[in-house]
Amino acid sequence: MTDLINFINNILWGSVLIYLLIGAGLYFTIRTRFIQLRHFTHMFSVLKNSNKSDSSGISSFQALCTTLAARVGTGNLTGVAIALTAGGPGAIFWMWVVAFIGMATSFIESTLAQLYKTKDDQGNYRGGPAYYMEKGLACAGWACCSPCS
């Protein structure tokens, strides 16, 4: 049984998942008409005047810092150093290509989080992947393994 699980794990994490993520990134890049390029300068104009937050939320800059803290960790930093050491300058090029494609995936993920966030009894917002998967797919919990109604 352990051999079977290891075999499936190696297939999924070794090749299938990489192609699925790159494919999703390319799909989202095309569907959003290259959001990474179209709104690049707009990002700086929004962040320039985003230090103020109201009582019901956080500022745009605080949201950026929070998402960067969640996405960039020591694994990412050491992974870049190891890739540069093992793969040379070509590895840096491919990391930039995959990062560009991944920007569209990140944009879609953040957009879904904003669309499906909810306000709790204390007036705080709740959201994230579990919320938008449950509400967007109209499924309740992990019991929904078949296509949602």
Side-chain angles (χ1 to χ4, degrees):
M1 185 64 172
T2 304
D3 293 335
L4 176 65
I5 292 173
N6 285 335
F7 176 72
I8 293 171
N9 185 42
N10 288 336
I11 289 175
L12 286 177
W13 288 97
S15 58
V16 174
L17 190 62
I18 293 169
Y19 294 118
L20 283 174
L21 288 174
I22 291 174
L26 287 171
Y27 174 77
F28 292 141
T29 297
I30 293 167
R31 288 288 296 182
T32 60
R33 297 185 325 258
F34 291 85
I35 190 76
Q36 310 93 314
L37 298 174
R38 285 189 306 120
H39 290 289
F40 188 76
T41 56
H42 178 66
M43 169 184 64
F44 295 109
S45 65
V46 167
L47 287 175
K48 186 172 69 172
N49 299 320
S50 68
N51 292 333
K52 299 180 184 87
S53 63
D54 58 6
S55 61
S56 65
I58 61 176
S59 70
S60 299
F61 182 72
Q62 290 169 326
L64 173 69
C65 289
T66 302
T67 190
L68 283 176
R71 292 176 192 278
V72 179
T74 56
N76 293 39
L77 299 175
T78 57
V80 169
I82 292 170
L84 181 57
T85 303
I92 298 294
F93 169 77
W94 288 110
M95 281 190 281
W96 275 94
V97 169
V98 171
F100 179 79
I101 293 169
M103 286 180 208
T105 307
S106 179
F107 174 77
I108 295 296
E109 179 185 351
S110 299
T111 303
L112 287 172
Q114 291 301 312
L115 285 173
Y116 293 107
K117 68 182 176 184
T118 58
K119 201 177 226 184
D120 65 8
D121 297 336
Q122 289 90 24
N124 298 319
Y125 287 102
R126 304 275 183 222
Y131 281 80
Y132 60 76
M133 283 190 282
E134 180 180 333
K135 296 184 185 319
L137 297 174
C139 296
W142 289 101
C144 182
C145 294
S146 61
C148 302
S149 56

